[in-house]
Amino acid sequence: MQYLSQKVAKPYFVAAIGLFAGQILFGLIMGIQYLVGDFLFPAIPFNVARMVHTNLLIVWLLFGFMGASYYLVPEEAERELESPLLAKILFWVFLIAGALTVVGYLAVPYASLAKLTGNDVLPTMGREFLEQPTITKVGIVVVALGFLYNVGLTILKGRKTVINLVLLTGLAGLAVLFLFSFYNPDNLVLDKFYWWWVVHLWVEGVWELILGSILAFVLIKVTGVDREIIEKWLYVIIAMALITGIIGTGHHYFWIGTPEYWQWLGSVFSAMEPLPFFAMTVFAFNMVNRRRREHPNQAATLWALGTSVMAFLGAGVWGFLHTLAPVNYYTHGTQITAAHGHMAFYGAYVMIVLTIISYAMPMLRGQTAANSRRSQVLEMWSFWLMTVSMVFITLFLTGAGILQVYLQRYSAQPLPFMVVQEQISLFYWLRLIAGLVFTIGLGAYIASFFVGRTEPEAVAMKSVPVTA
Amino acid sequence: MHETFTKSMARNIYYGGAAFFVLVFLGLTFDTTHTLPKRDNRANLTETVALGKKVWENNNCIGCHTLLGEGAYFAPELGNVYKRFGNSTEAIKAFIKSRPENGVPGRRSMPQFHLTDQELEGIAQFLKYSSEINTANWPPNIQG
Ligand code: HEM
Ligand code: HEM
Ligand SMILES: [Fe+2]
């Protein structure tokens, strides 16, 4: 760690991991509700558990992105953060606003929360992923502005590296696109049209810039490969992301009342969206193969390689699976969507946040470069447990989805939704088991921060294979 | 990557490509906005329907159901429930009104929302309006 102000990243990472645990707890609750329909009903209805699950996911990823920025921006800009105090204040504002919102979801019926927070003044609630009360949304905007001011000034006054500029573009885009969550017309089609400007243009647009720049930063650090090469790759990846992903939004405009030319545009452009993810995989493996040094933090390298592979599988392969209009006609809004949503979010955004945490946390906790061997071994176990179980969650949901599509939408005698759900429940049992294994993996991950603290730091092996 | 392909070339593709496709996207948005009146059933967007959309949102129906295929996958698609219920807003209202307070034992349950008659009429009209949006023949059949 080269700058004192990088330290403010630490509470952000700690909060991210804590909220991650909460997210998974509610995932398990829903996993049970899929099988035992009235589990915890009416105390925690399914929709409430789902809001908590998805909103915690988004909030902890945002904590992760902010922590990542506070850590890497000063190092790239070669100066201290503009205002560490502001970063600390915004941390508490964001954490308390987030906690109050979740308490609100759980403590009172959603309709009461809407009333309590004056949703009728500016109705923005009750839409998937954007369930937060309007005042929470305003809070998010305020935190985002303060955060952008802080890292923006640091970047502009310091050394302007490609990584910093791409990261800043991604973060600014994230904030600007979120403003569309305040637009909620009575016209359902228009509502849905602009809803995707938040959701799709986030995960298949600006967030890819954030993903790419964090990955590039970690790869420079752990491989020692020349910055020029890494930056060129970064430009290629984000160019492909935006060239395919912007018009690719059209894969959500097939069946919501929008004109039918979107079936062509959406299919063709989104079919190319796997390219940037594929490039990321090639990039990560190439850089690690061409490494100029052995970094003692092998866990961080594993996460960096893992995120590139899993993002390609989840977003690229599972996205492509249902992105062509004639396929999507049958799979739209089924368990296929859930399968893809899980692996894509995990592979791309969960894993990149865990990558930067893995790289930065040892330094933030006073090590010189890495955790002890023992701690790293446990962390790598958690990597495999979580990643493999997520692969299985995805496969089981895909199985459920294929049967659902066939029984409900494709066979000669289409069956009602509830009947079909009953028939495919075996897959939901298997998903629940995989979810329990995921939870064990998460437990191992958290434990890895506490074991081997008294043991010596891992050291790099000397031999440097000079291949390629 | 080869020496002939330089970083500044990559950068130019990024800036040029992104700017170009942002503009194309805005152009398509403009065209979509002008085509929508023919497809989005706005002629039937009455005050009752607008109230219904608010009821829909204030009770987070999307947290269990899909609507035109978007939302949660725990409960039936509602974009075409008006048609599935025999083109009857009364049947929709009766279903919502009759949900037991404590759920259905062992079965996926829908909450009792205690909606007023006006709110019930709103939500039913909103679901009728949704079923009349031109969705390019989606869903494939009446089961949603
Ligand atoms: C990391 C990047 C990505 C993430 C995090 C992600 C996540 C998601 C999520 C959560 C949904 C469900 C949205 C909803 O609730 O309605 C979704 C839908 C969808 N995604 Fe992705 N996605 C990513 C990349 C991609 C890519 C690259 C493709 C195409 C190649 C793709 C194709 C689709 C399609 C077609 C749908 C609509 C599914 C439906 O009709 O129900 N996604 N995505
Ligand atoms: C890091 C791990 C996880 C991530 C990133 C994640 C992400 C998500 C996302 C993005 C959605 C919305 C999906 C969509 O709209 O298509 C979702 C819904 C859901 N998740 Fe997870 N999740 C994770 C772990 C789990 C686990 C371990 C379980 C249960 C065993 C679980 C169960 C569910 C269920 C049941 C839903 C609701 C699906 C529906 O709408 O019917 N999730 N999750
Ligand atoms: Fe998308």
Side-chain angles (χ1 to χ4, degrees):
Chain A
M1 216 173 60
Q2 300 162 15
Y3 297 89
L4 212 57
S5 53
Q6 288 177 283
K7 266 243 181 282
V8 296
K10 191 172 162 185
Y12 283 85
F13 290 153
V14 173
I17 296 169
L19 298 175
F20 181 19
Q23 182 220 332
I24 297 307
L25 172 68
F26 282 86
L28 289 178
I29 290 175
M30 281 190 292
I32 298 171
Q33 288 175 332
Y34 248 80
L35 292 152
V36 184
D38 59 345
F39 180 66
L40 295 182
F41 190 90
I44 306 180
F46 180 86
N47 62 316
V48 172
R50 193 183 203 273
M51 276 190 300
V52 176
H53 182 65
T54 57
N55 290 18
L56 281 178
L57 168 69
I58 294 168
V59 168
W60 83 257
L61 293 180
L62 293 180
F63 267 112
F65 292 165
M66 290 194 273
S69 309
Y70 288 133
Y71 187 85
L72 74 79
V73 162
E75 206 161 305
E76 287 285 300
E78 296 186 332
R79 69 188 290 271
E80 295 285 353
L81 186 68
E82 183 66 20
S83 168
L85 177 66
L86 179 60
K88 280 180 209 158
I89 294 172
L90 291 179
F91 169 78
W92 288 107
V93 172
F94 197 42
L95 189 65
I96 291 168
L100 283 179
T101 303
V102 171
V103 168
Y105 289 162
L106 291 168
V108 296
Y110 191 73
S112 312
L113 185 65
K115 200 163 188 180
L116 211 70
T117 55
N119 190 48
D120 280 348
V121 181
L122 176 60
T124 66
M125 294 172 70
R127 294 172 302 150
E128 196 194 356
F129 303 124
L130 305 181
E131 294 94 348
Q132 315 80 28
T134 304
I135 42 167
T136 303
K137 290 197 182 85
V138 173
I140 294 173
V141 171
V142 170
V143 170
L145 284 179
F147 164 74
L148 281 175
Y149 163 85
N150 211 355
V151 295
L153 272 192
T154 312
I155 288 172
L156 295 178
K157 286 187 187 169
R159 181 175 70 138
K160 295 175 195 60
T161 65
V162 175
I163 288 178
N164 261 357
L165 292 176
V166 171
L167 179 67
L168 185 61
T169 315
L171 294 166
L174 185 159
V176 168
L177 288 167
F178 184 67
L179 296 178
F180 284 95
S181 72
F182 291 94
Y183 179 62
N184 180 19
D186 292 337
N187 185 325
L188 182 66
V189 180
L190 275 180
D191 169 9
K192 283 174 173 290
F193 186 86
Y194 287 103
W195 180 82
W196 284 112
W197 286 36
V198 185
V199 179
H200 171 98
L201 290 178
W202 265 12
V203 298
E204 291 155 72
V206 290
W207 285 30
E208 283 184 61
L209 272 57
I210 299 170
L211 164 62
S213 50
I214 298 176
L215 184 62
F217 174 80
V218 173
L219 286 175
I220 287 182
K221 297 291 164 177
V222 299
T223 67
V225 169
D226 190 18
R227 180 178 283 276
E228 280 296 304
I229 298 173
I230 294 212
E231 289 178 344
K232 182 159 61 170
W233 272 98
L234 180 57
Y235 271 132
V236 170
I237 288 167
I238 61 177
M240 288 198 278
L242 295 186
I243 288 169
T244 62
I246 295 173
I247 309 294
T249 315
H251 64 185
H252 304 294
Y253 296 161
F254 296 159
W255 330 111
I256 61 165
T258 31
E260 278 158 47
Y261 55 71
W262 283 111
Q263 292 182 22
W264 283 99
L265 287 168
S267 297
V268 169
F269 278 85
S270 70
M272 296 186 292
E273 280 185 46
L275 289 175
F277 290 100
F278 185 67
M280 247 181 270
T281 315
V282 177
F283 168 52
F285 277 83
N286 243 318
M287 296 306 109
V288 171
N289 280 338
R290 287 208 250 167
R291 65 187 177 278
R292 300 241 188 107
R293 68 160 87 100
E294 290 298 320
H295 196 281
N297 192 342
Q298 293 190 325
T301 314
L302 180 64
W303 282 111
L305 291 174
T307 193
S308 76
V309 173
M310 294 302 291
F312 173 65
L313 283 179
V317 177
W318 255 262
F320 182 80
L321 213 66
H322 62 159
T323 207
L324 300 175
V327 176
N328 191 260
Y329 184 66
Y330 292 102
T331 61
H332 183 47
T334 63
Q335 297 300 322
I336 300 284
T337 311
H340 156 69
H342 274 86
M343 209 204 267
F345 255 108
Y346 175 76
Y349 300 118
V350 168
M351 288 180 82
I352 193 62
V353 169
L354 299 187
T355 302
I356 185 76
I357 291 179
S358 178
Y359 171 75
M361 241 348 192
M363 271 91 81
L364 289 170
R365 297 173 86 205
Q367 315 283 90
T368 50
N371 286 327
S372 67
R373 191 72 211 143
R374 187 144 147 250
S375 164
Q376 284 195 46
V377 167
L378 187 56
E379 188 183 342
M380 290 194 265
W381 265 97
S382 79
F383 168 95
W384 287 110
L385 280 169
M386 287 195 278
T387 304
V388 171
S389 59
M390 185 48 78
V391 169
F392 277 99
I393 289 178
T394 307
L395 288 173
F396 294 142
L397 290 178
T398 306
I402 291 172
L403 280 179
Q404 181 187 12
V405 166
Y406 182 77
L407 294 170
Q408 189 186 317
R409 293 193 176 157
Y410 200 83
S411 74
Q413 295 291 319
L415 299 172
F417 178 93
M418 294 297 281
V419 174
V420 172
Q421 292 299 307
E422 197 75 46
Q423 295 195 0
I424 61 182
S425 63
L426 173 65
F427 286 94
Y428 297 136
W429 281 110
L430 296 170
R431 183 262 302 267
L432 183 58
I433 293 168
L436 287 169
V437 177
F438 189 97
T439 312
I440 294 170
L442 177 58
Y445 178 71
I446 293 171
S448 77
F449 288 91
F450 300 100
V451 305
R453 293 292 293 157
T454 51
E455 292 174 23
E457 271 193 57
V459 284
M461 280 166 295
K462 269 278 170 282
S463 67
V464 181
V466 197
T467 47
Chain B
M1 267 172 290
H2 231 261
E3 294 299 326
T4 47
F5 184 69
T6 63
K7 186 172 108 184
S8 74
M9 287 160 81
R11 186 187 57 215
N12 292 343
I13 295 174
Y14 164 61
Y15 282 124
F20 178 75
F21 283 104
V22 165
L23 290 176
V24 173
F25 190 59
L26 291 177
L28 289 164
T29 298
F30 183 79
D31 183 77
T32 298
T33 312
H34 281 264
T35 317
L36 278 188
K38 282 187 247 141
R39 306 179 57 96
D40 64 12
N41 194 26
R42 67 180 64 186
N44 292 318
L45 219 174
T46 59
E47 253 168 59
T48 313
V49 171
L51 170 74
K53 184 164 185 276
K54 213 159 275 171
V55 176
W56 171 267
E57 287 164 1
N58 285 351
N59 291 285
N60 190 229
C61 311
I62 202 81
C64 292
H65 292 279
T66 48
L67 183 64
L68 306 188
E70 292 166 8
Y73 321 113
F74 184 71
E77 160 71 25
L78 295 185
N80 67 340
V81 71
Y82 172 72
K83 293 178 179 162
R84 189 159 56 247
F85 278 13
N87 295 329
S88 163
T89 50
E90 290 308 315
I92 293 177
K93 290 198 271 187
F95 184 92
I96 298 172
K97 242 188 338 205
S98 66
R99 292 304 91 201
E101 195 73 48
N102 288 312
V104 183
R107 189 175 167 91
R108 292 187 194 175
S109 302
M110 169 161 151
Q112 170 53 256
F113 292 105
H114 301 291
L115 301 179
T116 65
D117 286 347
Q118 208 192 358
E119 287 170 330
L120 275 171
E121 182 62 23
I123 193 80
Q125 292 297 334
F126 170 69
L127 291 173
K128 175 174 186 290
Y129 146 87
S130 307
S131 75
E132 289 160 355
I133 290 168
N134 180 349
T135 56
N137 280 325
W138 193 90
N141 66 58
I142 199 69
Q143 303 298 356

